Amino acid sequence: MESLVVKGNTELVGRVKISGSKNAAVAVLPAAILSPGTIYLENLPDITDVQTLMAILDYLGVKIRRRGRNAVELSTANLSRIAPPYDMVKKMRASYYFMGSLLGRFGRAVVPIPGGCDLGPRPIDQHLKGFSALGSKINIEHGMITLTAEKLVGARIYFDVVSIGATINLMLAAVSAEGRTILENVAKEPEIVDVANFLNAMGASIRGAGTDVIRIEGVKSFSGAKHAIIPDRIEAGTFMLAAAASRGTVTVDEVIPKHLEAITAKLRETGAEVLVEPESITVKGKAELKPSDLKTFPYPGFPTDLQPPAMVLLTVAKGLSVITENVFDGRYNHVEELKRMGARIKVEGRTALIEGGKTLTGAPVSAPDLRSGAALMIAALIADGDSTISDVKHIDRGYELFEEKLTQLGATIRRKKAEEPSQLAGGSE
Ligand code: EPZ
């Protein structure tokens, strides 16, 4: 198990280029199999979630030609399988998008029940309710979900819960359903809009992505398409929060500031200085940060994926801050690890109380999931003394060249192979 040894007391200074959005890429790649043409994708982040999806596409019979680190050409004319393999699917929850795209193209999909981060219960009832409304039969046994439909017919679907996954999955199935589908109470994240733009580039007819209601006219066939993935607003927000927490000055380049308005507003509320330009944002941390109350909500609210990094920032702000996690039941895996570094945090249900102002101390910690891992990295950078972060595979899933980008900003980070002895006093192997 690899780990990262991180030097503390670091002030981050400089510029960093933000990569393509993980959460758009993990939907666009499965969506590509809707078309029998050639798909050319640019600005794909080089992360393990994308590598896993490429391996699944290859297994299904897609011809893949890499065009550099962040671009790929897919030929999906001759798919040989319609059931992604369990050992690949269990690595990432977003594999469930193969349900919508395989059902949309073949009228049949066999997908293992998805795995993913441990953020509390993560049902897919809204996905299945939607597929059933379009006319799919659903059979769940032996841990596999089998979807079959003689014909998909457009329907009006009202989601009980605002869900990014369900919204995208139903777009993938509805674009080739007969007639009109209306999706209501949908997620409005920028990634939804990016996937809709990609599907329309292939010949779909989707209107309203980014609003509460999406209207889809089914089409009979799709063409090849070329698409560039939008920038990753969660990666950008991670670096913005890290800049403020380290009291440094960091510019994130190649971003869409509109996607980061909630983070910009919250940073300004804590006293950080934020300069917004057309394609970049500069964050200047301040010696004295103010405590703040933070509530996570679906877009355009403050994103749940930045709640763990934001909690680290609030451990710096002297005084009491309150976080309310409204999207997931159990998204506080990072708290116990931060407390090992001296953070004073109390969790009651969906609420976390943070008594900020006491400098964190370096310690051996473990990343329980992707965004907790990012939070622990920020904590290690600002702590007094060095830290070792184990289970780094979680971070590798969603942050391209994370160590390299942080090193560019002044961090000192060394990746340690599993067998190396720990150099930290009290480090547990
Ligand atoms: C997406 O997950 C993201 N993943 C998550 O990012 C993100 O945290 C989450 O949206 C919320 O923003 C990808 O886009 C690949 P949801 P998803 O369906 O689609 C409940 C990261 O770190 N729900 O929007 O799985 C669910 O339990 C990851 O990049 C149902 O009840 O999330 C949750 O409470 C972590 N029934 C809420 O809705 C359903 O059928 C939002 O979940 C589906 C969801």
Side-chain angles (χ1 to χ4, degrees), residues 201-414:
M202 287 199 296
S205 173
I206 303 172
R207 299 288 172 269
T211 72
D212 292 308
V213 180
I214 294 176
R215 286 176 177 71
I216 300 169
E217 295 298 336
V219 296
K220 293 207 178 336
S221 66
F222 297 94
S223 61
K226 185 172 178 181
H227 183 75
I229 302 287
I230 54 170
D232 192 318
R233 61 193 171 96
I234 305 300
E235 183 198 13
T238 304
F239 279 102
M240 290 165 67
L241 291 160
S246 75
R247 297 179 174 88
T249 302
V250 172
T251 299
V252 289
D253 286 318
E254 300 191 25
V255 298
I256 299 175
K258 172 88 184 133
H259 295 170
L260 289 153
E261 286 179 342
I263 294 89
T264 295
K266 193 49 72 181
L267 280 169
R268 285 174 172 157
E269 204 178 293
T270 64
E273 210 178 299
V274 184
L275 172 68
V276 178
E277 295 175 284
E279 295 186 350
S280 64
I281 296 179
T282 299
V283 176
K284 287 185 197 317
K286 282 279 177 296
E288 282 304 308
L289 288 170
K290 290 176 280 197
S292 165
D293 293 348
L294 189 153
K295 293 178 173 59
T296 67
F297 280 109
Y299 192 84
F302 192 94
T304 173
D305 290 347
L306 287 174
Q307 179 259 102
M311 184 180 281
V312 178
L313 173 66
L314 295 175
T315 68
V316 173
K318 198 170 178 51
L320 180 66
S321 294
V322 182
I323 289 182
T324 310
E325 173 52 64
N326 291 311
V327 176
F328 286 108
D329 286 336
R331 191 175 207 156
Y332 286 125
N333 296 332
H334 44 295
V335 170
E336 287 314 307
E337 294 303 298
L338 290 174
K339 285 163 76 171
R340 288 164 52 79
M341 299 176 77
R344 291 174 298 192
I345 305 167
K346 188 170 170 42
V347 173
E348 290 287 338
R350 286 177 174 253
T351 303
L353 305 175
I354 299 106
E355 180 62 41
K358 178 169 168 286
T359 305
L360 301 180
T361 55
V365 289
S366 161
D369 61 65
L370 167 59
R371 305 304 177 184
S372 299
L376 291 172
M377 173 59 83
I378 299 173
L381 288 166
I382 66 173
D384 200 8
D386 294 356
S387 299
T388 296
I389 303 174
S390 54
D391 288 335
V392 175
K393 66 179 187 307
H394 291 297
I395 299 178
D396 294 339
R397 282 187 51 202
Y399 289 93
E400 180 181 39
L401 296 173
F402 200 35
E403 297 130 80
E404 290 80 353
K405 292 183 179 183
L406 286 166
T407 302
Q408 224 178 287
L409 298 175
T412 304
I413 303 171
R414 185 172 65 82

Side-chain angles (χ1 to χ4, degrees), residues 22-24 26-27 49 92-94 96-97 117 119-128 159 161-168 187 189 191 232-234 297-299 303-305 326-329 331 350 369-371 397-399:
K22 166 181 88 79
N23 290 346
V26 299
D49 270 9
M92 52 181 293
R93 178 177 171 77
Y96 56 34
Y97 290 131
C117 279
L119 303 178
R122 296 185 75 183
I124 57 168
D125 57 307
Q126 299 299 306
H127 302 235
L128 301 180
F159 291 110
V161 178
V162 172
S163 158
I164 291 175
T167 302
I168 291 176
E189 273 71 5
E191 292 76 31
D232 192 318
R233 61 193 171 96
I234 305 300
F297 280 109
Y299 192 84
T304 173
D305 290 347
N326 291 311
V327 176
F328 286 108
D329 286 336
R331 191 175 207 156
R350 286 177 174 253
D369 61 65
L370 167 59
R371 305 304 177 184
R397 282 187 51 202
Y399 289 93

